[in-house]
Amino acid sequence: MRSLADWKKSGMSFSKFCAVGEEVNEEMIDYFINIVPAAYLKNRLAQCGEPCNHIFDEIKGCMRATYITFENIGGKWYYRGECFMCETVNREEE
């Protein structure tokens, strides 16, 4: 499980520190949703308020913002990457 304290000690960007699919602690979720108001926050999904990027969405045919996303499954939070609003599919460009 990745923790906020370990991330801060690492000196890395979050996307380098935490791989998509890794479990994170609740303190990490609190940190991200309290930096700026959450873009989306429900029981099972938390997306940070500031977009990470804008990527062309082939289905909608337009540019869309991506957000750092966390998903709650069975009371545990997992990092899902940079996802479109209300989604859990990582869209981060390599």
Side-chain angles (χ1 to χ4, degrees):
M1 178 187 311
R2 295 298 196 160
S3 74
L4 181 62
D6 289 341
W7 175 43
K8 287 185 173 185
K9 285 183 211 170
S10 77
M12 298 177 179
S13 69
F14 185 74
S15 63
K16 298 258 189 260
F17 173 75
C18 192
V20 173
E22 282 192 288
E23 183 180 353
V24 298
N25 68 4
E26 189 115 4
E27 186 180 21
M28 187 83 76
I29 302 303
D30 291 341
Y31 172 79
F32 275 104
I33 64 173
N34 288 316
I35 290 175
V36 294
Y40 186 86
L41 182 59
K42 296 289 181 186
N43 291 339
R44 69 163 206 88
L45 190 63
Q47 291 183 296
C48 300
E50 292 293 322
C52 299
N53 203 349
H54 288 79
I55 297 171
F56 188 77
D57 182 342
E58 297 286 335
I59 295 170
K60 295 201 176 199
C62 62
M63 297 295 284
R64 292 180 62 196
T66 59
Y67 300 87
I68 291 176
T69 302
F70 301 94
E71 182 178 26
N72 187 313
I73 300 173
K76 295 180 179 179
W77 286 97
Y78 298 90
Y79 175 55
R80 294 298 180 218
E82 296 179 11
C83 308
F84 292 142
M85 182 69 69
C86 301
E87 293 184 6
T88 58
V89 175
N90 183 33
R91 309 291 179 158
E92 186 175 8
E93 295 178 326
E94 298 290 323

